[in-house]
Amino acid sequence: MKIAIIEPLGIDEKAVEKLKQDFLPEDIELVYYNSAPQDDEEKIKRSEDADIVMLANMPLRKDVLEKCTKLKMLSVAFTGVDHVDMDYCKANNIMVCNCSGYANEAVCELVFGMVVDLYRNIFAADEAVRTGKTKAGLSQFELCGKKFGIIGAGAIGLKVANVAKAFGCDVYAYSRTPKDIDGIKFVSLDELLSICDVVSVHVPLTKLTKDLINAENITKMKSTALLINTARGPVVNAKALADALKNNTIAGAGVDVFDNEPPIAMDNPLLSAPNVVLTPHIGFATKEAMEKRAVIAFTNINKYLMGKPQNIM
């Protein structure tokens, strides 16, 4: 049996070898490609003779998968699987397992890094010092006492809620399945948008969540509010958000995810919007998270080989 890791996992070859020893039988052939494939042809070459393929957030669609005739399992070293052709996998009995939970802390910490920067103008203050200026004109706000809204009450959303409470925020949440959690008030999406000072998005990308935060919903927010998106790019309409920032409909935004993986197009409307912090999809990418997700990805393969798979389909 052959396993191919067809893109980098953010860990070195020695760590991969240790995981192989810990989780896989000795007779397994494991190939680790520690560089990104340049095109679909290279993805096919790396995958076509593998029984199990491991990938991270690289798109893997039908035109590649249909060339992989031996493929029985995908171990996705990522939380979401919207970059994988799940319909093809289901139709062809290819098991798909993801790595839910590995980046909860990493994403949560980035959310608050963005919020604190937007409230305290840290980047602008740094530039002011370096150019002989003072704090004049740099607005400063406290997070303590603010209404913090969370869209999506999964593991990351609840982690963010706990940290928001530690900052002294009143926490509100919107979820299709409201929960009874101490210290979190579940409300409708309309109410959350209208009352919260900070709105942080934590839902997966589905047909129901695409453009969930559109122009109409953004107009429901307070003019002093911040919008943070570390979930998936298409959940928030980029043009609508950019227009809202330019028109002072809301006060600021933090965006780590885009319609396509960075590098983003230079005509992306967010690049010319004011009061927005943009990061190139780094929410999940801490050293600690990379190590955690590799362990989960190898564990999923081990469970599959032992006949105890956790198929997410």
Side-chain angles (χ1 to χ4, degrees), residues 29-43:
E29 179 187 359
L30 178 68
V31 181
Y32 179 34
Y33 294 94
N34 201 7
S35 63
Q38 297 302 305
D39 51 32
D40 283 352
E41 184 177 347
E42 190 171 354
K43 294 178 190 178

Side-chain angles (χ1 to χ4, degrees), residues 62-298:
K62 178 182 177 180
D63 54 351
V64 174
L65 290 168
E66 64 186 2
K67 301 293 195 301
C68 305
T69 56
K70 295 181 62 178
L71 186 62
K72 302 177 183 68
M73 180 205 179
L74 288 177
S75 182
V76 181
F78 211 63
T79 300
V81 293
D82 48 277
H83 56 300
V84 173
D85 194 326
M86 295 295 286
D87 290 337
Y88 180 88
C89 290
K90 186 175 183 179
N92 290 274
N93 297 314
I94 299 170
M95 178 163 292
V96 181
C97 299
N98 70 336
C99 288
S100 179
Y102 79 91
N104 293 356
E105 291 78 10
V107 174
C108 175
E109 290 179 10
L110 180 63
V111 168
F112 287 95
M114 288 178 161
V115 173
V116 172
D117 175 59
L118 288 162
Y119 267 171
R120 300 306 301 270
N121 260 311
I122 294 173
F123 286 166
D126 177 84
E127 183 181 1
V129 171
R130 295 176 186 278
T131 55
K133 299 176 183 178
T134 69
K135 64 180 181 296
L138 299 178
S139 60
Q140 298 285 301
F141 300 96
E142 293 180 5
L143 184 53
C144 182
K146 298 295 191 296
K147 290 182 172 64
F148 199 109
I150 296 163
I151 299 176
I156 295 177
L158 294 179
K159 175 73 70 172
V160 171
N162 287 332
V163 176
K165 286 189 284 186
F167 267 99
C169 298
D170 297 320
V171 179
Y172 297 79
Y174 164 72
S175 174
R176 286 192 299 159
T177 53
K179 304 172 183 179
D180 183 12
I181 300 176
D182 187 44
I184 304 176
K185 184 177 181 181
F186 281 80
V187 296
S188 68
L189 179 60
D190 284 354
E191 183 176 354
L192 184 147
L193 292 171
S194 66
I195 67 173
C196 286
D197 302 291
V198 180
V199 175
S200 190
V201 181
H202 299 286
V203 293
L205 177 61
T206 67
K207 293 177 181 178
L208 294 176
T209 62
K210 186 176 187 297
D211 272 348
L212 177 66
I213 308 301
N214 52 27
E216 180 183 357
N217 277 334
I218 292 174
T219 61
K220 298 171 184 176
M221 297 175 65
K222 298 164 70 171
S223 62
T224 55
L226 305 180
L227 177 65
I228 309 295
N229 185 16
T230 57
R232 287 292 181 270
V235 174
V236 177
N237 186 286
K239 184 179 185 304
L241 176 56
D243 289 344
L245 292 166
K246 292 173 183 177
N247 298 329
N248 297 314
T249 303
I250 63 173
V255 179
D256 184 49
V257 286
F258 305 89
D259 288 353
N260 301 104
E261 281 294 298
I264 63 173
M266 289 298 98
D267 61 353
N268 188 299
L270 290 171
L271 291 175
S272 58
N275 301 321
V276 58
V277 176
L278 305 175
T279 53
H281 203 178
I282 63 171
F284 68 97
T286 63
K287 179 179 183 295
E288 293 85 354
M290 295 299 93
E291 292 170 351
K292 281 186 258 185
R293 78 170 183 177
V295 169
I296 297 171
F298 272 85

